[in-house]
């Protein structure tokens, strides 16, 4: 290795170490700056759906060490907010950022101190749907095998659900027709769990899973032979009965 190369390598190493030390001492200090914070909405009502592709951010003043703030500049911190608690409706849906200052401080307490938050009302763009309670109607064919007979008609638990979706479709909907294919009953109790969301993917259903219950009882069968006797026969007549015994089935 030449002397010139060793000098260049030594110089480069010192510059690199000096740069690391400068970076470390600069960003370990505490700074204050404005950061965009992402909002994740939770507890959104069934009849409301946030418009696809839209995101919501808050302009928040954060105080913290340089490393945390540098990270926040590239990857926005995220907070979860309760839609039904913080969003109100006045023709459209609105949100007041100052109302969630306490929640911001709780969720961002690790690594940051929350100062200013934008006071400008934020409009939340949503699609709103009609919600309606409807009865479940079975179109399931039930066949009882062997000596099984129904005790009651098959039924759903629960017998009705709340459906939410396309306004015109929901308005016309009188009941929800549920199919499960053909059922052959060979037991006194059958409980089939049905996932309604698979049968009706275009609407929201609550609850999405119901039970279909079939109750039956076994009817036992037996038989015995009884003799056939003639009564009130006239005197002088002989009556021969063929057959002289018959089978009684019960």
């Amino acid at each position: 290795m030449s002397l010139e190369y060793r000098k260049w390598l030594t110089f480069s190493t010192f510059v690199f170490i000096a740069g690391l030390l400068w970076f470390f001492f600069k960003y370990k200090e505490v700074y204050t700056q404005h950061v965009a914070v992402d909002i994740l909405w939770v507890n959104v009502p069934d009849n409301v759906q946030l418009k696809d592709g839209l995101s919501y951010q808050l302009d928040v003043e954060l105080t913290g060490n340089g490393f945390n703030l540098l990270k926040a500049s590239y990857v926005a911190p995220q907070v979860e907010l309760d839609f039904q608690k913080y969003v109100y409706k006045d023709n459209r849906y609105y949100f007041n950022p100052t109302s969630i200052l306490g929640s911001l401080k709780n969720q961002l307490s690790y690594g940051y101190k929350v100062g200013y938050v934008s006071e400008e009302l934020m409009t939340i763009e949503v699609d709103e749907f009609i919600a309606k309670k409807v009865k479940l109607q079975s179109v399931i064919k039930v066949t009882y095998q062997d000596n099984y007979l129904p005790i009651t008609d098959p039924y759903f638990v629960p017998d009705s659900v709340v459906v939410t979706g396309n306004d015109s479709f929901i308005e016309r909907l009188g009941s929800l027709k549920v199919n499960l294919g053909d059922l052959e009953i060979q037991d006194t109790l059958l409980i089939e769990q049905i996932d309604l969301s698979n049968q009706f993917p275009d609407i929201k259903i609550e609850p999405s899973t119901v039970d279909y219950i079939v109750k039956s009882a076994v009817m036992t069968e037996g038989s015995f032979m009884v003799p056939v006797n003639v009564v009130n026969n006239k005197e002088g007549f002989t009556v021969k009965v063929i057959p002289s015994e018959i089978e009684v089935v019960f």
Side-chain angles (χ1 to χ4, degrees):
M1 183 181 296
S2 67
L3 181 61
E4 290 296 327
Y5 181 77
R6 286 199 300 270
K7 289 181 178 179
W8 178 85
L9 183 61
T10 303
F11 174 76
S12 299
T13 302
F14 277 111
V15 169
F16 178 73
I17 294 173
L20 286 179
L21 291 174
W22 174 85
F23 183 85
F24 175 77
F25 285 112
K26 175 178 175 58
Y27 283 97
K28 78 172 184 176
E29 300 295 333
V30 174
Y31 298 93
T32 298
Q33 71 179 46
H34 284 250
V35 172
V37 176
D38 287 337
I39 299 175
L40 176 62
W41 292 110
V42 297
N43 196 25
V44 181
D46 289 339
N47 65 317
V48 171
Q49 180 177 325
L50 296 173
K51 285 189 179 292
D52 291 340
L54 295 180
S55 59
Y56 297 92
Q57 290 186 324
L58 291 172
D59 177 21
V60 182
E61 184 184 78
L62 296 180
T63 299
N65 67 55
F67 293 107
N68 286 339
L69 292 175
L70 182 63
K71 177 183 176 182
S73 299
Y74 290 97
V75 181
Q78 187 179 77
V79 293
E80 290 188 0
L81 297 180
D82 189 321
F83 188 94
Q84 298 193 47
K85 181 177 180 180
Y86 295 115
V87 177
Y88 66 93
K89 184 179 180 182
D90 185 9
N91 293 323
R92 301 178 69 181
Y93 286 87
Y94 296 97
F95 158 64
N96 185 354
T98 59
S99 65
I100 51 90
L101 188 57
S103 183
L104 281 177
K105 290 181 178 180
N106 289 335
Q107 295 188 52
L108 298 177
S109 60
Y110 181 76
Y112 304 105
K113 180 180 179 181
V114 178
Y116 165 87
V117 61
S118 173
E119 299 180 359
E120 185 177 351
L121 286 181
M122 186 180 295
T123 303
I124 308 299
E125 298 294 339
V126 303
D127 292 318
E128 192 170 10
F129 304 103
I130 290 179
K132 181 179 179 181
K133 190 172 186 178
V134 296
K135 286 278 190 180
L136 297 177
Q137 180 181 348
S138 171
V139 290
I140 303 169
K141 182 181 179 181
V142 178
T143 303
Y144 296 87
Q145 300 292 318
D146 301 327
N147 297 321
Y148 288 92
L149 292 175
I151 296 177
T152 62
D153 291 334
Y155 58 93
F156 293 101
V157 175
D159 63 352
S160 57
V161 294
V162 176
V163 294
T164 307
N166 179 274
D167 293 0
S168 59
F169 174 77
I170 298 299
E171 285 180 348
R172 297 193 307 269
L173 190 65
S175 63
L176 211 58
K177 295 183 178 180
V178 181
N179 197 359
L180 191 62
D182 296 345
L183 292 179
E184 294 185 352
I185 306 303
Q186 295 179 321
D187 202 349
T188 55
L189 178 64
L190 175 70
I191 301 177
E192 288 285 344
Q193 193 173 76
I194 304 175
D195 187 352
L196 298 176
S197 60
N198 287 336
Q199 296 193 28
F200 306 94
D202 296 330
I203 58 177
K204 184 179 289 186
I205 303 174
E206 184 63 35
S208 61
T209 303
V210 298
D211 289 331
Y212 187 64
I213 300 177
V214 183
K215 292 183 178 180
S216 61
V218 179
M219 301 303 170
T220 58
E221 184 179 285
S223 65
F224 58 89
M225 303 300 293
V226 295
V228 179
N229 298 317
V230 178
V231 297
N232 296 326
N233 187 24
K234 291 184 179 181
E235 188 177 349
F237 285 87
T238 301
V239 178
K240 185 175 182 180
V241 179
I242 300 174
S244 60
E245 288 184 329
I246 60 173
E247 182 183 21
V248 176
V249 180
F250 61 91

